[in-house]
Amino acid sequence: MESNYEKEELFSPEKVAALAGHYKAILELLGEDASREGLLKTPERVAKAMSFLTQGYGQDPKEILLSAKFREEYKQMVIVKDIELYSMCEHHMIPFYGKAHVAYIPNGYITGLSKIARVVEAFARRLQVQERLTVQIRDCIQQALNPLGVAVVIEASHMCMQMRGVQKQNCSTTTSAFTGAFLTQMQTREEFIQLIGK
């Protein structure tokens, strides 16, 4: 049966081929027959999937923010909440997933709202730990926009805790990182926590 469907791939063919060779060897080491019908294209599919899930290595989050940096005298809190994130635990290369809530108080400059979500994505699409991810997002926004303060809270579930090891299905992890007014002004931090909780 002939198919007219052709998917456009943006991955390096050389990189995909090299990764696929390794994944074929992994399948065989696990005791599988990499030549059986169901697994024939699996090494290539996994190679492309991992290239997609780690594409953040090829992105510059600070440049993402600077690409839409505008002068604006607004000095109240800007919050982008419930930003979905999917990342890979660097210890087991198993996914963790959840939501990021990001706020900043402009100091003469704002950025496009979608750029905040893109920064989260750029850092999440790498091998990560949630603690570092939280701090990287905070520091990137602070460095690119020099705001009066930045707040980042991430709530995530880790499949390395759910499907292996301790196997606890209903636990989640919350991390936070703050700068400026969110550190020094309790009322500002409380307002942020209240707003992301609604």
Side-chain angles (χ1 to χ4, degrees):
M1 183 172 144
E2 193 174 319
S3 171
N4 291 324
Y5 174 70
E6 189 173 325
K7 186 166 71 172
E8 182 182 2
E9 299 286 8
L10 303 175
F11 309 117
S12 156
E14 296 79 17
K15 180 179 176 183
V16 168
L19 284 168
H22 291 293
Y23 283 118
K24 182 176 184 225
I26 288 169
L27 287 171
E28 291 167 349
L29 285 167
L30 291 173
E32 266 291 357
D33 174 8
S35 64
R36 70 177 173 86
E37 183 183 12
L39 292 178
L40 274 177
K41 292 192 174 181
T42 296
E44 182 182 351
R45 288 189 192 106
V46 177
K48 289 178 179 178
M50 289 303 292
S51 295
F52 176 79
L53 294 172
T54 59
Q55 64 186 326
Y57 289 119
Q59 298 172 338
D60 184 337
K62 187 175 178 182
E63 285 303 316
I64 290 172
L65 291 174
L66 295 177
S67 73
K69 183 177 178 181
F70 309 104
R71 177 162 281 286
E72 187 62 54
E73 292 309 315
Y74 183 80
K75 288 190 182 293
Q76 302 301 313
M77 198 181 304
V78 177
I79 302 176
V80 183
K81 69 177 191 173
D82 296 328
I83 303 167
E84 293 179 10
L85 70 85
Y86 301 90
S87 194
M88 299 282 283
C89 160
E90 70 177 31
H91 300 141
H92 304 101
M93 291 179 68
I94 295 176
F96 67 91
Y97 57 94
K99 292 180 178 178
H101 313 290
V102 180
Y104 73 100
I105 302 172
N107 184 23
Y109 291 95
I110 60 170
T111 189
L113 297 176
S114 69
K115 304 306 181 189
I116 301 291
R118 289 186 188 280
V119 165
V120 171
E121 181 88 350
F123 282 120
R125 295 296 190 187
R126 305 173 183 196
L127 298 183
Q128 276 288 11
V129 295
Q130 184 176 331
E131 297 88 341
R132 182 193 313 127
L133 175 60
T134 308
V135 170
Q136 285 177 328
I137 295 165
R138 178 201 66 187
D139 290 349
C140 180
I141 295 168
Q142 186 65 50
Q143 291 165 13
L145 301 178
N146 192 31
L148 299 174
V150 179
V152 180
V153 170
I154 294 178
E155 304 167 280
S157 297
H158 293 250
M159 294 192 75
C160 57
M161 287 182 66
Q162 294 175 328
M163 65 185 290
R164 68 168 302 284
V166 72
Q167 297 182 59
K168 299 301 177 194
Q169 305 304 309
N170 298 312
C171 64
S172 63
T173 301
T174 301
T175 50
S176 62
F178 305 99
T179 66
F182 293 100
L183 272 179
T184 61
Q185 299 173 19
M186 189 62 70
Q187 185 177 354
T188 301
R189 190 189 319 192
E190 286 176 356
E191 180 186 356
F192 167 68
I193 298 299
Q194 183 182 16
L195 287 169
I196 67 172
K198 287 185 179 179

